[in-house]
Amino acid sequence: MTIRFFISRDAASLAVGADAIAKALQQAADTKGLAIEIIRTGSRGLFWLEPMIEVETPQGRIAYGPLAPENVAELLTDGLMNGEPHPLCLGRPEAIPYLAKQQRLTFARCGIVDPRSLEDYLAHGGYRGLARALDLGPAAMIEEVVESGLRGRGGAGFPTGIKWRTVAQTKPGQKYIVCNADEGDSGTFSDRMIMEGDPFVLIEGMTIAGIAVGATKGYIYIRSEYPHAVHAMEAAIEAARRADYLGSNVAGSEWAFDIEVRVGAGAYVCGEETALLESLEGKRGLVRAKPPLPAHVGLFGCPTVINNVMSLATVPFILAQGAKTYQDYGMGRSRGTMPIQLAGNVKHGGLVEIAFGVTLGELVEGFGGGTRSGRPVRAVQVGGPLGAYFPVDLFDTPFDYEAFAARDGLIGHGGIVVFDDTVDMLKQARFAMEFCAHESCGKCTPCRIGSTRGAETLDKIAHGMEAEHNLALVKDLCETMKFGSLCALGGFTPYPVMSALTHFQDDFTPVRHAAE
Amino acid sequence: MAFHEPWNDAVAATIIAQHKAQEGATLPIFHALQKAFGYVPAEAVPMIAEALNLSRAEVHGVLTFYHDFRSEPPGCHILKLCRAEACQAAGGDHLATGVERQLGIKLGETTPDQQVTLEPVFCLGLCAVAPSAMLDDQPIGRVDAARLDALLNEVRS
Ligand SMILES: Cc1cc2nc3c(=O)[nH]c(=O)nc-3n(C[C@H](O)[C@H](O)[C@H](O)COP(=O)(O)O)c2cc1C
Ligand code: SF4
Ligand code: FES
């Protein structure tokens, strides 16, 4: 009998040697004359346990990890074939507390299914959302998304259903669905994981969006730093087309919808929705002034829904299980679950999909297990390069759009980057300014020039030059950037800078730096 | 390894012709040219301008806006080192200085023997296994100097 093994092909799994493990397993099996099948899945998102192998047993899948290629042959002798106990045996992955404590709705299939197989997707509940959506019809499916409370996961948190309704209400004609897969924020990788691990769910979500608003064409704009995601999406789109889940009669209905992948070119600002549209049109990624909204005048001047990968990939669950089921998770105005990403100097780096309301401390200390270096946590940056740095004192903050805003922060795309006590917060504040200068589209002066001046001024403080005067200058500059910028690149760079200044004042005093 | 052919007008013209009918074709054309030649030389600009009915200035403006596109041929191998926050938190600064010293070049430069081009990148989505890098199209996580050394020696031999 052929034994089935599962090994992730996620880029982060490959980065820690998953291919070498797959090769070693096949070789060891061949040597022993054992019949095995290795299925390459996405990742479960427990990266500190990777590379990991799962074996199918009558008790379900049993995981082993983290493995080195040398371990594999010996493990095969020691009972890997039947999931027997071993120091590297992790038991059932679902029972690992990190995973057991999560609520995986959007990521329900990620790490379980073969991302290249439409049959596997269908066997695990895929396309049930579309089936129900087709029964409901466009107007009712939009209301379902509105009622679910789903807010855009790209950062701004705007209600997805309302955006769709606006586009649906424009007069019939060419409209577009654009999926924002630019995922430029440091510390984030959930979009990448879903595209590599369960690409059909994104295709299904975009298809539902297309039918809901009357768009027949969708684009996925994927950043060039994600070659594996590009391949996975292209392969899945091809498979969906062959099975008529994309094309002129989607799933045998009267609706037409197709998707094309486009690749970005290393410009962070192209994650901003209007810059992204410019880039798709073949232009420089300059931010457009709003209004008009993309919902009215979007891609090539046509009404356009532009949504983040997570927003669209959550839609199939909402349609399949009903708005109420999704809405029941969460707190306040933050409904449902958030795929949170633990990154940086963290012991248990990975993906935590959980209902809104979990505290920052539970995430960093509970799930994350503190730092990988073993030193005390000093700061965490939440929400990417435009997000605030939080000190441990604020670890009681619940993960919720409004609660973070109330503490001068943002949840953004859900990335949490952990730093230990060796971090120099002046250096981090300077990096925020430098990054803004590097990535500015150049349209407004406070962002283009202010960020360069900001970095220079922070350098002066680091050298102990007129610290007080220069600190006042930085604060003033932050005010100007905050209120004088057209988009959040210039407008939000003050978040990391001011939070560093506010919560980690010691790092900005001349004494500390003069001593170095 | 990243194999690139030397610049060739006729090949470039074919590539441009393959993509010109796409909506917003400039980026797809730049990517296809860079994939073939490793860079997008100035010679390509008038060809693209003509094919897409744009001015040279417009094409040049788009080309230079994006960090990805090189104007010079790169080395045989491209090592991208992540310089963003999650990798900084995990020792990325130290790693970058070490690699620069070891290769004898700065980020953005190519070794004199044309073997390796070292480029900064701002996040590879490998932030849970930081610090990270990408050697040609191969992602590398939990990078340390010894591991990078071994990989570089492997590709350079
Ligand atoms: C500088 C900048 C970068 C952004 N980067 C991204 C990104 O990488 N991915 C994303 O989905 N949204 C990004 N956004 C937010 C988008 O402008 C927009 O709000 C989002 O695509 C809307 O989708 P959603 O409503 O589903 O979140 C960025 C915004 C700014 C100002
Ligand atoms: S704030 Fe910066 S990135 Fe945004 S529009 Fe202005 S110049 Fe461009
Ligand atoms: S910050 Fe380096 S991979 Fe994301």
Side-chain angles (χ1 to χ4, degrees):
Chain A
M1 199 185 76
T2 306
I3 309 277
R4 306 208 315 156
F5 290 93
F6 303 84
I7 301 177
S8 164
R9 65 188 305 159
D10 181 278
S13 313
L14 301 181
V16 293
D19 274 349
I21 299 297
K23 208 166 130 198
L25 178 62
Q26 189 64 60
Q27 267 170 3
D30 290 348
T31 311
K32 291 190 197 311
L34 299 169
I36 67 162
E37 183 190 1
I38 301 175
I39 295 147
R40 301 304 295 265
T41 61
S43 173
R44 300 261 190 182
L46 284 61
F47 289 110
W48 80 100
L49 296 175
E50 295 210 24
M52 190 163 106
I53 288 182
E54 293 178 27
V55 59
E56 198 169 64
T57 75
Q59 291 75 45
R61 291 192 196 173
I62 303 292
Y64 294 80
L67 301 178
E70 313 75 273
N71 303 142
V72 176
E74 154 204 325
L75 256 172
L76 214 49
T77 319
D78 290 355
L80 174 67
M81 295 287 280
N82 357 307
E84 281 169 29
H86 181 277
L88 288 169
C89 181
L90 302 163
R92 288 176 47 243
E94 296 80 9
I96 298 172
Y98 196 85
L99 207 47
K101 286 190 288 178
Q102 300 191 28
Q103 285 114 19
R104 293 238 168 151
L105 312 183
T106 308
F107 277 81
R109 272 175 300 263
C110 194
I112 297 172
V113 295
D114 173 359
R116 296 289 194 270
S117 165
L118 178 59
E119 295 67 40
D120 216 9
Y121 182 63
L122 293 167
H124 287 81
Y127 277 117
R128 281 193 207 149
L130 178 68
R132 178 149 175 268
L134 289 171
D135 285 346
L136 288 172
M141 59 179 107
I142 293 175
E143 290 324 302
E144 196 77 14
V145 177
V146 172
E147 208 188 306
S148 74
L150 176 68
R151 292 165 73 177
R153 301 290 187 238
F158 187 81
T160 304
I162 308 277
K163 195 181 269 189
W164 290 17
R165 202 192 267 157
T166 312
V167 176
Q169 283 165 353
T170 61
K171 61 178 191 313
Q174 179 75 58
K175 299 178 189 181
Y176 293 102
I177 305 299
V178 173
C179 171
N180 188 341
D182 203 45
E183 200 170 63
D185 289 359
S186 164
T188 68
F189 45 84
S190 61
D191 295 352
R192 186 186 61 63
M193 278 183 67
I194 213 81
M195 289 190 286
E196 294 177 8
D198 192 14
F200 293 105
V201 80
L202 178 56
I203 295 174
E204 184 180 349
M206 287 180 72
T207 307
I208 294 170
I211 294 169
V213 306
T216 51
K217 171 102 196 219
Y219 282 100
I220 308 181
Y221 185 93
I222 308 179
R223 63 200 297 260
S224 60
E225 293 83 349
Y226 284 4
H228 300 81
V230 171
H231 288 152
M233 284 314 311
E234 281 177 339
I237 289 168
E238 209 28 67
R241 265 189 210 134
R242 274 198 306 270
D244 288 327
Y245 278 102
L246 288 174
S248 44
N249 299 94
V250 168
S253 72
E254 76 272 32
W255 304 98
F257 191 70
D258 211 336
I259 299 177
E260 187 178 329
V261 171
R262 286 294 174 94
V263 181
Y268 176 76
V269 73
C270 288
E272 195 283 334
E273 55 188 15
T274 61
L276 190 153
L277 296 176
E278 291 284 306
S279 183
L280 269 180
E281 291 180 7
K283 303 177 193 150
R284 292 190 289 160
L286 295 185
V287 174
R288 296 178 187 167
K290 285 186 270 196
L293 293 171
H296 294 124
V297 183
L299 187 62
F300 301 110
C302 302
T304 301
V305 166
I306 175 160
N307 271 137
N308 172 252
V309 174
M310 286 297 110
S311 316
L312 289 162
T314 301
V315 165
F317 176 91
I318 293 168
L319 267 304
Q321 310 286 326
K324 173 95 180 31
T325 310
Y326 191 73
Q327 242 248 77
D328 279 347
Y329 294 90
M331 73 175 272
R333 290 177 47 224
S334 304
R335 307 313 315 173
T337 58
M338 182 75 191
I340 295 161
Q341 301 120 89
L342 299 177
N345 187 350
V346 64
K347 198 164 165 199
H348 301 154
L351 182 99
V352 179
E353 181 180 352
I354 195 162
F356 285 98
V358 56
T359 66
L360 190 52
E362 266 172 84
L363 289 163
V364 176
E365 308 283 1
F367 282 94
T371 65
R372 190 163 68 190
S373 62
R375 302 183 67 96
V377 175
R378 178 144 187 259
V380 297
Q381 187 178 27
V382 185
L386 308 175
Y389 284 96
F390 278 70
V392 178
D393 294 354
L394 297 182
F395 272 15
D396 62 340
T397 315
F399 219 83
D400 160 275
Y401 292 98
E402 280 68 40
F404 265 69
R407 290 187 162 173
D408 294 320
L410 48 103
I411 66 174
H413 188 50
I416 300 182
V417 176
V418 182
F419 292 81
D420 72 13
D421 62 349
T422 60
V423 67
D424 174 350
M425 294 306 295
L426 191 154
K427 197 168 154 195
Q428 296 310 124
R430 189 197 186 282
F431 178 78
M433 286 290 193
E434 191 191 338
F435 186 75
C436 179
H438 188 252
E439 301 296 336
S440 171
C441 87
K443 206 156 179 168
C444 14
T445 321
C447 169
R448 189 183 69 237
I449 310 283
S451 51
T452 304
R453 294 288 165 272
E456 289 166 3
T457 313
L458 285 161
D459 280 341
K460 288 183 188 160
I461 298 169
H463 290 101
M465 290 158 68
E466 299 178 81
E468 219 140 287
H469 167 73
N470 280 317
L471 272 175
L473 219 57
V474 170
K475 287 179 191 163
D476 202 44
L477 198 60
C478 282
E479 284 295 296
T480 310
M481 287 174 73
K482 195 167 169 183
F483 297 106
S485 300
L486 185 60
C487 86
L489 182 54
F492 286 8
T493 294
Y495 275 107
V497 177
M498 287 307 298
S499 59
L501 261 168
T502 310
H503 303 304
F504 305 92
Q505 279 177 22
D506 287 357
D507 289 14
F508 295 81
T509 56
V511 192
R512 176 166 171 210
H513 278 271
E516 279 169 14
Chain B
M1 79 169 263
F3 177 77
H4 300 125
E5 57 183 307
W7 170 253
N8 175 320
D9 276 14
V11 175
T14 314
I15 291 174
I16 295 169
Q18 275 165 0
H19 292 277
K20 66 179 269 192
Q22 279 181 281
E23 288 183 303
T26 24
L27 266 71
I29 290 175
F30 293 152
H31 275 302
L33 291 174
Q34 182 148 304
K35 190 170 174 219
F37 306 113
Y39 70 124
V40 187
E43 288 100 304
V45 171
M47 297 171 72
I48 299 168
E50 198 186 311
L52 300 183
N53 206 8
L54 297 168
S55 75
R56 289 179 186 203
E58 279 172 296
V59 176
H60 176 80
V62 179
L63 181 61
T64 51
F65 180 85
Y66 294 96
H67 301 304
D68 269 7
F69 302 121
R70 301 183 196 96
S71 56
E72 300 289 332
C76 297
H77 299 283
I78 296 160
L79 177 63
K80 295 184 179 173
L81 211 55
C82 178
R83 302 296 297 113
E85 291 91 336
C87 288
Q88 293 168 13
D93 292 356
H94 184 70
L95 186 73
T97 328
V99 175
E100 284 182 335
R101 198 179 316 117
Q102 199 224 335
L103 291 175
I105 51 170
K106 294 275 168 211
L107 285 160
E109 297 176 352
T110 301
T111 52
D113 63 0
Q114 296 296 313
Q115 279 295 310
V116 183
T117 295
L118 182 64
E119 292 181 343
V121 62
F122 293 92
C123 194
L124 291 162
L126 308 173
C127 334
V129 294
S132 70
M134 183 107 85
L135 182 58
D136 299 327
D137 259 353
Q138 183 193 348
I140 318 167
R142 297 179 199 140
V143 183
D144 57 31
R147 177 118 186 274
L148 259 190
D149 242 33
L151 277 162
L152 282 171
N153 283 334
E154 208 174 292
V155 300
R156 292 176 85 169
S157 59

